[in-house]
Amino acid sequence: MKKLTVGLLLLASVTLASCAPKYTAATAKPINEMSCAEIKDELGKLATIRTQAQDKSGVSKENILFVLFFWPGAVVNEMDNRDVIAKVDARSAELVKAQSAKGCPAN
C-alpha cells in the first residue's frame, strides 16, 4: 500500500511538472532574417505563450494541486512560469524593435 501511494505521488508530480508552457528562443529564427509577416506571427504566438504562463502561475489549479500533493512542485512551477514570461518578454522586445527598424506596420 505504501509503494502504491509513493507511486501515485510520483506519477502526479511528473504529470503536473509539465504545467508551465515551454519556450526557448534558442531555436527561434534569427530576427534579422524575418519578414514583417513572420514578426507579426511570432508576436502573436509569444502573446499566447505569455498568457498561458500567467494563467498557470499564482493561485492556479496547477499550483493548488501541487500544494495538495507535492508542495515543492508549486515552487518549481512558479519559477518555470516566471522564466517563460521573462524569455517571452525579451524576445517580444527584440521583435518590436526589429518591426520598427524594418518599417513594418505595428498591427
Side-chain angles (χ1 to χ4, degrees), residues 7-92:
L8 288 175
L9 282 175
L10 182 61
L11 178 63
S13 55
V14 168
T15 301
L16 292 173
S18 61
C19 289
K22 304 298 179 215
Y23 176 74
T24 179
T27 57
K29 185 174 182 177
I31 292 174
N32 61 347
E33 296 177 10
M34 297 176 79
S35 68
C36 290
E38 290 172 320
I39 290 172
K40 181 180 177 182
D41 184 53
E42 186 164 349
L43 282 169
K45 290 176 184 176
L46 291 172
T48 301
I49 292 169
R50 189 178 203 290
T51 300
Q52 290 172 351
Q54 285 178 316
D55 290 346
K56 293 182 178 191
S57 65
V59 181
S60 65
K61 65 181 178 183
E62 289 85 2
N63 281 343
I64 291 171
L65 288 172
F66 273 131
V67 168
L68 291 175
F69 294 107
F70 186 67
W71 70 265
V75 174
V76 171
N77 187 48
E78 203 58 33
M79 289 173 26
D80 286 348
N81 283 310
R82 287 182 188 169
D83 185 50
V84 167
I85 290 170
K87 287 178 183 177
V88 165
D89 287 348
R91 177 74 173 179
S92 294

